[in-house]
Amino acid sequence: MSEIIWDSALIQKYNQSGPRYTSYPTALEFNENYTEQDFEAAVKRYPNRPLSLYVHIPFCHQLCYFCACNKVITRHQHKADIYLDYLEKEISSRSALFKHRLVTQIHWGGGTPTYLSEIQSARLMAMLKKHFTVSETAEISIEIDPRRIELSMLDHLRHLGFNRMSMGVQDFNKDVQKAVNREQDEDFIHALLEHARELGFQSTNLDLIYGLPLQTVESFMFTLEKVIALNPDRLSVFNYAHLPSRVPGQAKIKEYQLPTPETKLTILQKTIETLGNAGYKFIGMDHFAKPHDELAIAQDQGVLHRNFQGYTTQEECDLLGLGVSSISLLGDTYAQNEKDLKRYYALIEEQGNALHKGLALTQEDCLRRDVIKQLICNFKLDFSPIEAQYNIQFTTHFAEDLALLKPLIDDELIKLTHTGLQVSPKGRLLIRNICLCFDTYSREAAKRQQFSRII
């Protein structure tokens, strides 16, 4: 794969901890000094920006041992009705601030969004379309659990307007599935993907995880072979971070069954090679896409963007998060809802929203966010636009950061010229290390193991 060169010695050298940069500064910097007044001021700052909506559905029928998402395990379907009652109050309250915005993107995440029944999902979509102005050409996507869905549910979702879907597969090996409490039917996953294409879903994504118990290089290549045969438009291949002290469900995973770090590296290396040979383009940060996919095209054009949902083509959108634990990105501020469901309900009852904490960015934060975004999305940075926008001389302003970057330049992970920075093919896998040099918040936190490892 020409855009990536695997250099084992450099990967071993730089395989430290670091953030995934779905935001800069990261969520670790959010604080409770952020107020509703800050939120409303941020909404007014860029009144003409289109809007992206993220809705968090926390419910799951059973626990997947590896999962670190905000979730509630329950088989009581009526709890989703209660949640929708409160969500409706939040949607009604928040939408009043965005009356003149056009919604160009909607994403339902979780938890398990397809936990909702047909009636419940129709109710939620009706709420959104009642209170917001949704573009007729909006990207509308949903995360699907293939274990708890009927094939006919896809027809219903398509009728509601969904045109993109992402499905958690993780691994096709039955022993691995049992070890993480996520057994699923391979033939049914194939049927779901085929039916999605028949219905006109414009993009299909499959999620895989490497580093799960009982995985070997051979077993994961077996999974990849089956995944490639399914021919999804996109793939996300995530590194499992075993942190049972922070994620209690992970304590159910037997540590002695986890693959060694060396095995994980080999799995990643062979995954990149295999997907490259199958025609997938490495977008960066665990993501792969077919060359015709919007993500690949956006990266080729230098307009790829990254937010809390990962890579996106919606560069100029503000993001409004709705539901428990959801995060908003409004211009130069971040805001997060309460993570605890009971407390979320109480706050909605008291004030119509569940704002818990956030962060108002300084101009320096915005500058560094733009630098990191360009590098992590497009693997290059031109100094001129940044210098003009922020009225700086790049090499002077970032003299300390470039000094930190020098060892990476010497190792040919990135090239520094008079006009900009260009990440090399062997630097792409270590893009988080490169970004860390410009991240004044996370350098020390990374040393304290606040983040997952780079590879």
Side-chain angles (χ1 to χ4, degrees), residues 269-437:
Q269 180 181 10
K270 290 192 172 293
T271 295
I272 291 168
E273 292 172 357
T274 303
L275 291 179
N277 292 333
Y280 286 90
K281 176 180 169 64
F282 178 73
I283 300 298
M285 288 293 297
D286 318 313
H287 286 68
F288 301 81
K290 290 288 186 71
H292 66 263
D293 188 85
E294 292 168 325
L295 291 184
I297 293 169
Q299 189 173 64
D300 288 341
Q301 295 174 347
V303 294
L304 190 63
H305 186 53
R306 187 165 172 81
N307 62 22
F308 295 101
Q309 278 81 65
Y311 289 105
T312 174
T313 58
Q314 301 280 327
E315 183 172 14
E316 294 305 318
C317 275
D318 274 350
L319 170 66
L320 174 63
L322 299 162
V324 64
S325 78
S326 64
I327 300 177
S328 300
L329 190 169
L330 303 172
D332 49 11
T333 76
Y334 301 118
Q336 183 168 25
N337 278 354
E338 171 60 50
K339 293 181 180 181
D340 177 77
L341 188 59
K342 288 183 179 179
R343 180 67 182 146
Y344 168 82
Y345 287 160
L347 287 173
I348 294 294
E349 201 66 62
E350 290 168 18
Q351 58 195 35
N353 68 73
L355 180 65
H356 174 54
K357 57 184 178 179
L359 183 69
L361 277 64
T362 65
Q363 186 176 36
E364 183 69 16
D365 291 336
C366 293
L367 165 60
R368 290 176 179 272
R369 177 175 69 174
D370 286 350
V371 168
I372 288 171
K373 186 184 80 171
Q374 285 296 322
L375 289 170
I376 209 162
C377 289
N378 301 308
F379 296 121
K380 62 182 179 181
L381 173 72
D382 294 327
F383 293 159
S384 294
I386 293 284
E387 290 178 329
Q389 181 177 351
Y390 290 97
N391 193 28
I392 62 165
Q393 204 282 324
F394 192 94
T395 54
T396 301
H397 188 92
F398 288 102
E400 181 182 344
D401 309 272
L402 292 173
L404 291 172
L405 195 64
K406 189 174 186 309
L408 288 77
I409 295 171
D410 292 342
D411 282 332
E412 298 180 347
L413 300 181
I414 187 167
K415 184 178 181 181
L416 171 64
T417 69
H418 294 299
T419 59
L421 292 165
Q422 178 72 52
V423 180
S424 71
K426 62 183 177 182
R428 291 190 170 202
L429 280 172
L430 296 165
I431 188 63
R432 291 160 74 184
N433 300 78
I434 293 168
C435 292
L436 201 58
C437 294

Side-chain angles (χ1 to χ4, degrees), residues 136-394:
E136 291 184 3
T137 59
E139 293 182 7
I140 307 181
S141 58
I142 187 168
E143 296 168 13
I144 288 175
D145 182 347
R147 298 169 302 165
R148 296 280 182 169
I149 185 173
E150 298 294 331
L151 205 58
S152 59
M153 185 65 171
L154 283 186
D155 298 79
H156 176 68
L157 294 173
R158 189 73 185 93
H159 176 72
L160 293 181
F162 286 95
N163 49 37
R164 288 160 174 78
M165 58 171 272
S166 180
M167 189 160 27
V169 170
Q170 323 315 347
D171 196 297
F172 275 129
N173 183 284
K174 290 299 180 186
D175 291 333
V176 175
Q177 291 177 8
K178 288 176 183 176
V180 297
N181 199 37
R182 190 184 174 90
E183 296 181 64
Q184 50 202 5
D185 187 302
E186 185 180 321
D187 291 337
F188 186 62
I189 289 171
H190 182 270
L192 281 169
L193 278 175
E194 284 299 308
H195 196 45
R197 294 188 185 103
E198 292 168 1
L199 292 170
F201 278 78
Q202 296 168 24
S203 180
T204 54
N205 177 82
L206 295 184
D207 288 343
L208 304 177
I209 298 178
Y210 68 97
L212 295 178
L214 302 178
Q215 280 180 340
T216 65
V217 175
E218 293 74 20
S219 75
F220 201 76
M221 292 307 104
F222 169 84
T223 287
L224 271 189
E225 183 181 326
K226 292 180 175 293
V227 165
I228 290 168
L230 293 173
N231 198 32
D233 300 295
R234 301 176 186 175
L235 279 166
S236 302
V237 187
F238 297 110
N239 170 20
Y240 171 65
H242 189 62
L243 301 167
S245 61
R246 289 190 221 165
V247 185
Q250 292 184 355
K252 295 179 178 291
I253 287 177
K254 298 178 175 67
E255 290 197 32
Y256 72 86
Q257 294 183 334
L258 293 173
T260 65
E262 293 75 22
T263 298
K264 287 180 71 173
L265 281 177
T266 305
I267 289 174
L268 178 60
Q269 180 181 10
K270 290 192 172 293
T271 295
I272 291 168
E273 292 172 357
T274 303
L275 291 179
N277 292 333
Y280 286 90
K281 176 180 169 64
F282 178 73
I283 300 298
M285 288 293 297
D286 318 313
H287 286 68
F288 301 81
K290 290 288 186 71
H292 66 263
D293 188 85
E294 292 168 325
L295 291 184
I297 293 169
Q299 189 173 64
D300 288 341
Q301 295 174 347
V303 294
L304 190 63
H305 186 53
R306 187 165 172 81
N307 62 22
F308 295 101
Q309 278 81 65
Y311 289 105
T312 174
T313 58
Q314 301 280 327
E315 183 172 14
E316 294 305 318
C317 275
D318 274 350
L319 170 66
L320 174 63
L322 299 162
V324 64
S325 78
S326 64
I327 300 177
S328 300
L329 190 169
L330 303 172
D332 49 11
T333 76
Y334 301 118
Q336 183 168 25
N337 278 354
E338 171 60 50
K339 293 181 180 181
D340 177 77
L341 188 59
K342 288 183 179 179
R343 180 67 182 146
Y344 168 82
Y345 287 160
L347 287 173
I348 294 294
E349 201 66 62
E350 290 168 18
Q351 58 195 35
N353 68 73
L355 180 65
H356 174 54
K357 57 184 178 179
L359 183 69
L361 277 64
T362 65
Q363 186 176 36
E364 183 69 16
D365 291 336
C366 293
L367 165 60
R368 290 176 179 272
R369 177 175 69 174
D370 286 350
V371 168
I372 288 171
K373 186 184 80 171
Q374 285 296 322
L375 289 170
I376 209 162
C377 289
N378 301 308
F379 296 121
K380 62 182 179 181
L381 173 72
D382 294 327
F383 293 159
S384 294
I386 293 284
E387 290 178 329
Q389 181 177 351
Y390 290 97
N391 193 28
I392 62 165
Q393 204 282 324
F394 192 94

